[in-house]
Amino acid sequence: QVQLVESGGGLVQPGGSLRLSCTSSGRTVRNYKMAWFRQAPGKERDIVAAISWSGGDTYIADSVKGRFTISRDRAKNTVSLQMNSLKPEDTAVYYCAADVSGSIYGTLRLGQNDYGSWGQGTQVTVSS
């Protein structure tokens, strides 16, 4: 399985910005669709953004569209989530995930069960 490690979480005031990074091991991660999910206490884990193997196709959840941007550097095996104009409701543990079973040319998949490899999560807290 692909090993994923997130970083960049922390405490930020409303309206502030954070950049999360996900680092993966192995060259094969370049062939995988990647995604960011988040989970608040007592809530289900929901997708925030996803990106194709090439980086040319992205999905952004409506709740964060216009504020969050997903990108990847395939040469460095990293996927990033730039979060701007943060709101208290963005507070959650953010997870990086790899769609290790999907086709390299398939459409982006949005379900938690579509992703087979997960990072440990990084806490994002938006509060004044």
Side-chain angles (χ1 to χ4, degrees), residues 7-13 15-21 67-69 81-86 94 122-126:
S7 63
L11 175 64
V12 64
Q13 293 185 342
S17 298
L18 284 175
R19 182 176 182 270
L20 306 183
S21 295
R67 300 187 296 120
F68 290 13
T69 302
L81 184 69
Q82 179 65 47
M83 306 184 295
N84 299 324
S85 302
L86 284 163
Y94 284 71
T122 184
Q123 177 71 47
V124 172
T125 302
V126 184

Side-chain angles (χ1 to χ4, degrees), residues 10-60:
L11 175 64
V12 64
Q13 293 185 342
S17 298
L18 284 175
R19 182 176 182 270
L20 306 183
S21 295
C22 174
T23 301
S24 61
S25 62
R27 294 179 59 185
T28 56
V29 73
R30 299 171 182 171
N31 297 328
Y32 299 141
K33 304 161 190 169
M34 304 290 293
W36 286 94
F37 288 74
R38 68 183 181 184
Q39 186 170 23
K43 303 293 185 180
E44 295 186 354
R45 189 175 300 183
D46 295 323
I47 193 168
V48 176
I51 189 167
S52 65
W53 70 273
S54 68
D57 190 21
T58 61
Y59 165 83
I60 305 294

Side-chain angles (χ1 to χ4, degrees), residues 68-88:
F68 290 13
T69 302
I70 189 171
S71 62
R72 72 188 303 167
D73 186 335
R74 298 180 70 246
K76 297 181 178 180
N77 288 332
T78 59
V79 180
S80 298
L81 184 69
Q82 179 65 47
M83 306 184 295
N84 299 324
S85 302
L86 284 163
K87 305 175 181 179

